[in-house]
Coordinates of all heavy atoms in Angstrom, one line a residue:
V17 N 28.2 39.9 -59.9 CA 27.3 40.0 -61.0 C 26.4 41.1 -60.7 O 25.7 41.2 -59.7 CB 26.4 38.7 -61.1 CG1 25.3 38.8 -62.2 CG2 27.3 37.5 -61.5
R46 N 21.2 42.5 -68.9 CA 19.7 42.2 -68.6 C 18.9 43.5 -68.5 O 17.7 43.4 -68.4 CB 19.6 41.5 -67.3 CG 20.2 40.1 -67.4 CD 20.1 39.4 -66.1 NE 21.2 38.4 -66.0 CZ 21.5 37.7 -65.0 NH1 20.7 37.7 -63.9 NH2 22.5 36.9 -65.0
K129 N 32.4 29.0 -66.9 CA 31.4 29.3 -65.8 C 30.5 28.0 -65.7 O 30.1 27.4 -66.7 CB 30.6 30.5 -66.3 CG 29.3 30.7 -65.5 CD 28.8 32.1 -65.9 CE 27.3 32.2 -65.6 NZ 26.8 33.6 -65.7
F131 N 27.0 27.1 -64.6 CA 25.7 27.8 -64.3 C 24.5 27.0 -64.6 O 24.5 26.3 -65.7 CB 25.7 29.1 -65.2 CG 24.4 29.8 -65.0 CD1 24.2 30.6 -63.9 CD2 23.4 29.8 -66.0 CE1 22.9 31.3 -63.7 CE2 22.2 30.4 -65.8 CZ 22.0 31.2 -64.7
S157 N 28.5 29.9 -60.7 CA 27.7 31.1 -60.6 C 26.2 30.7 -60.5 O 25.8 29.7 -61.2 CB 27.8 31.9 -61.9 OG 27.2 33.1 -61.8
G158 N 25.5 31.3 -59.7 CA 24.1 30.9 -59.4 C 24.0 30.2 -58.1 O 24.5 29.0 -58.0
G159 N 23.5 30.8 -57.1 CA 23.4 30.2 -55.8 C 24.7 30.2 -54.9 O 24.8 29.6 -53.9
V160 N 25.7 31.0 -55.4 CA 26.9 31.2 -54.5 C 26.5 32.3 -53.5 O 25.9 33.3 -53.9 CB 28.1 31.6 -55.4 CG1 29.3 31.8 -54.5 CG2 28.4 30.6 -56.5
G179 N 28.7 35.9 -58.3 CA 27.4 36.0 -57.7 C 27.0 37.4 -57.4 O 27.8 38.4 -57.6
S180 N 25.8 37.6 -56.9 CA 25.3 38.9 -56.8 C 25.1 39.3 -55.3 O 24.6 40.3 -55.0 CB 23.9 39.0 -57.5 OG 23.0 38.1 -56.9
W181 N 25.4 38.3 -54.4 CA 25.0 38.6 -53.0 C 25.6 39.8 -52.4 O 25.0 40.4 -51.5 CB 25.4 37.3 -52.1 CG 26.8 37.2 -51.7 CD1 27.4 37.7 -50.6 CD2 27.9 36.6 -52.4 NE1 28.7 37.4 -50.5 CE2 29.0 36.7 -51.6 CE3 27.9 35.9 -53.6 CZ2 30.3 36.2 -52.0 CZ3 29.2 35.4 -54.0 CH2 30.3 35.5 -53.2
Ligands
3PG324 C1 23.1 35.3 -62.2 O1 22.7 34.6 -63.2 O2 22.5 36.3 -61.8 C2 24.3 34.9 -61.6 O3 24.6 33.5 -61.8 C3 24.3 35.2 -60.1 O4 23.4 34.4 -59.5 P1 23.1 34.7 -58.0 O5 22.1 35.9 -58.0 O6 22.4 33.5 -57.5 O7 24.3 35.1 -57.3

Side-chain angles (χ1 to χ4, degrees):
V17 174
R46 294 177 209 177
K129 166 171 160 166
F131 177 78
S157 188
V160 181
S180 64
W181 78 92

